[in-house]
Amino acid sequence: MGKTVSVKDLIRNKDKKNKLMLKAERTIPFILFALASISILTTVGIVSTLLYETFLFFREVSIIEFFTNTNMKPLSRVEPSFSILPLLTGTILISLVAMLVAIPIGLTTAIYLSEYASESVRKAVKPIIEVLAGIPTIVYGFFAFTFVTPILREFIPALQSTNALSPGIVMGIMIIPLVASLSEDAMNSVPKAMREGALALGATKLEVTLRVVIPAAISGIIASFVLGISRAIGETMIVTIASGSSKNFTFDITQSMQTMTAYIVEVTSGDAGAGTTAYYSLYAVAFALFIFTLLMNMFAGHISRKYREAY
Amino acid sequence: MSSLSISTELPLKKETTEQVNKTVVYDTKNLNLWYGNNHALKNINLPMYKNEVTAIIGPSGCGKSTYIKTLNRMVELVQNVRISGEILYREKNIFDKEFRVEELRTRVGMVFQKPNPFPKTIFDNIAYGPRIHGIKDKKILKEIVEKSLRGAAIWEEVKDRLHENAYGLSGGQQQRLCIARCLAVEPDVILMDEPTSALDPKSTLKVEELIQELKENYSIIIVTHNMQQAARISDKTAFFLNGEVIEYDDTDIIFSTPSDKRTEDYITGRFG
Ligand SMILES: Nc1ncnc2c1ncn2[C@@H]1O[C@H](COP(=O)(O)OP(=O)(O)OP(=O)(O)O)[C@@H](O)[C@H]1O
Ligand SMILES: [Mg+2]
């Protein structure tokens, strides 16, 4: 090396040395592709297993009955019968309660944090909210069963000790951080210039929030709702503990209900031997759950595309 | 549209007497502003007149944007801003508690340096202002939209795509759309902070012509870095330096026979 090494030389030399780098650069796409394939193959594997076992189930139980019958007695010795309806209503009702709690509270929290709170408040509050997201669901289940239900029963005497309402509310509380945090991110990423444009027209802060920021952030906000709903539908522990296992076909949320996921837990941990119809029903329910979530996501994607405001 | 023919070489004009009769829209009195400890505006005194274009020039960081944002109180969005003195808008102090800031901003529109349309359709962009001020009638909204777009000389270009997203427009069109959006609430004064600095020469020319037309009905205060632009389109020019107004006079005078050496140095490009 000479006495003076110019930056130019350094850069050039580095270029030459890095033949190896160049090779790596070429192979990296293949490695990435291989890794990406793993997730795709896993999905394909799971879905085809589901499909196959579901097919076996429907050889024994009529598909029409499965969707129209309202009796769910998988383990009955006398006359077992299978129906998705009680589980479907259970899942939908509990998720609905959860979203009725999570969406308004989550969204207002997001609005407050993104539009009204000062920087210091935001910095203090956000981590606290995110702690909520880190609590194990079993704790929430316990909380619903031993704390929320007794309190609710003070006000609603008809409430059963296991019911759909209490786990719904607690599940909603669990989902608040998800909705709040993701909606806040979406609102925060709306450029400041847009807010200024509206304020300069004489809009109040609320008008800016409702008519500029939220519409501009709507796809992110809807995405947060969808993730929330998906979590509600997929949530198992809270409902297993606090909602009991009655396979009631009812719309009365003061009663015990079972969700699809809770059913799967119950039957897997119970005494349905491999190869029995009850065992195969797990797959049918899981498959229904899969389709249900898929439809949910597609619907949300559609809504979010329809109202998207690109900037 | 005689903008381009305004000469910068005109001899001294017969002013003073004329000014007495003009309506003052904005009168700034002993205005001081601090960002934390940074004294950004120092004892500003400036009267601005109706149906005139007032240009604000000065080197970067001298407080032009700060001043223009103070006129509609947008500057208060910045944390730790402290203001003393008064700004009278039509004889009312804008810092008065009774003067709602939303009302002020409805009467005083603003066009920003970078076009900032809302991510909505062209129609909804223009209708935004009227809507928040309570106009719901579709027919009236339609009329307002057309009138505003015509007023901003962009109607012909967008009339067939009113329901497309505003972000599909070119930068120059977006800026005129923002001007139209501002016109839709029928303001009295329009503040413009370097409205053409992000535009190509052709769009710039269009906006300049537009400003000349708008002056018939509005009073315009414009910040610009472009000396020729200030000379072409403005009636009065204020030269800012380090947060102070060094000189304020008829544009012709500022550009031909400025009384302060620093003004002369600046407009002839010796610094800034
Ligand atoms: N948001 C802010 N917070 C703190 N200080 C600021 C802020 N905005 C501007 N300043 C300071 O105030 C002074 C004036 O800034 P201003 O933006 O008004 O200048 P300007 O004349 O518009 O400059 P330019 O021509 O570059 O736009 C500068 O010293 C700047 O650093
Ligand atoms: Mg500026």
Side-chain angles (χ1 to χ4, degrees), chain A residues 66-88:
Chain A
F66 189 63
F67 282 103
T68 54
N69 176 7
T70 57
N71 270 327
M72 184 62 158
K73 290 191 208 119
L75 297 176
S76 160
R77 299 258 154 71
V78 199
E79 195 191 359
S81 83
F82 295 91
S83 160
I84 188 84
L85 290 181
L87 303 181
L88 205 59

Side-chain angles (χ1 to χ4, degrees), chain A residues 193-194 199-201 211 309, chain B residues 105 116 118-120 128 133 167:
Chain A
M194 261 168 225
L199 286 171
L201 287 168
R211 303 216 196 171
E309 292 190 339
Chain B
R105 291 179 189 155
N116 59 347
F118 303 130
K120 301 176 184 295
Y128 180 87
H133 293 111
Y167 277 77

Side-chain angles (χ1 to χ4, degrees), chain B:
Chain B
M1 291 246 247
S2 56
S3 58
L4 300 174
S5 62
I6 287 185
S7 160
T8 57
E9 250 73 54
L10 277 182
L12 279 174
K13 247 184 26 181
K14 18 78 213 186
E15 4 82 75
T16 42
T17 45
E18 211 176 75
Q19 267 170 32
V20 177
N21 308 325
K22 283 183 189 159
T23 318
V24 176
V25 277
Y26 258 120
D27 204 357
T28 304
K29 293 187 169 163
N30 302 321
L31 178 75
N32 283 281
L33 183 145
W34 293 264
Y35 289 113
N37 293 323
N38 178 5
H39 197 175
L41 295 177
K42 297 167 191 157
N43 210 31
I44 309 269
N45 286 284
L46 273 186
M48 292 171 171
Y49 300 94
K50 190 168 181 283
N51 299 112
E52 284 197 346
V53 176
T54 307
I56 296 176
I57 59 169
S60 190
C62 69
K64 305 179 298 293
S65 299
T66 302
Y67 177 64
I68 201 170
K69 281 194 295 181
T70 312
L71 293 176
N72 67 349
R73 299 185 60 186
M74 291 289 281
V75 78
E76 291 167 40
L77 297 179
V78 180
Q79 286 194 342
N80 297 324
V81 165
R82 215 150 36 84
I83 299 172
S84 77
E86 329 189 290
I87 296 179
L88 301 181
Y89 165 71
R90 301 243 174 211
E91 278 148 21
K92 278 202 282 182
N93 187 355
I94 63 168
F95 300 116
D96 254 6
K97 288 223 171 60
E98 284 101 78
F99 202 167
R100 282 179 59 240
V101 67
E102 288 84 18
E103 191 189 329
L104 173 71
R105 291 179 189 155
T106 309
R107 302 227 215 134
V108 180
M110 184 165 213
V111 177
F112 297 79
Q113 178 169 358
K114 256 184 73 197
N116 59 347
F118 303 130
K120 301 176 184 295
T121 63
I122 293 169
F123 186 96
D124 286 342
N125 259 278
I126 310 296
Y128 180 87
R131 277 186 181 135
I132 59 169
H133 293 111
I135 298 178
K136 292 206 181 77
D137 190 311
K138 279 234 174 72
K139 231 180 93 197
I140 298 179
L141 283 176
K142 257 189 182 158
E143 277 166 23
I144 295 176
V145 169
E146 176 168 350
K147 192 170 149 218
S148 310
L149 289 169
R150 280 189 193 284
I154 188 182
W155 171 252
E156 292 301 327
E157 288 155 74
V158 301
K159 65 180 178 200
D160 299 320
R161 47 198 285 208
L162 291 178
H163 296 286
E164 285 171 32
N165 195 304
Y167 277 77
L169 298 173
S170 75
Q173 289 172 326
Q174 285 182 19
Q175 193 60 303
R176 276 178 289 142
L177 180 78
C178 289
I179 295 175
R181 182 175 74 184
C182 175
L183 299 182
V185 290
E186 309 213 342
D188 177 32
V189 181
I190 302 174
L191 309 174
M192 299 182 168
D193 192 352
E194 301 184 38
T196 59
S197 66
L199 307 184
D200 66 293
K202 219 171 149 191
S203 308
T204 299
L205 194 70
K206 276 208 168 129
V207 172
E208 284 183 11
E209 285 172 359
L210 178 58
I211 290 171
Q212 286 299 303
E213 285 169 29
L214 292 176
K215 146 181 156 176
E216 302 291 315
N217 298 309
Y218 305 88
S219 313
I220 293 167
I221 300 164
I222 179 173
V223 171
T224 177
H225 269 293
N226 180 332
M227 293 307 115
Q228 285 81 23
Q229 182 170 70
R232 276 197 298 265
I233 65 176
S234 71
D235 300 293
K236 292 258 181 340
T237 298
F239 172 58
F240 276 57
L241 186 63
N242 295 327
E244 286 177 89
V245 178
I246 301 300
E247 194 168 351
Y248 176 54
D249 214 324
D250 282 356
T251 299
D252 307 334
I253 296 174
I254 294 276
F255 283 91
S256 56
T257 50
S259 49
D260 198 292
K261 179 78 171 49
R262 290 167 293 181
T263 315
E264 192 182 334
D265 286 350
Y266 181 69
I267 57 175
T268 52
R270 269 194 278 271
F271 77 86

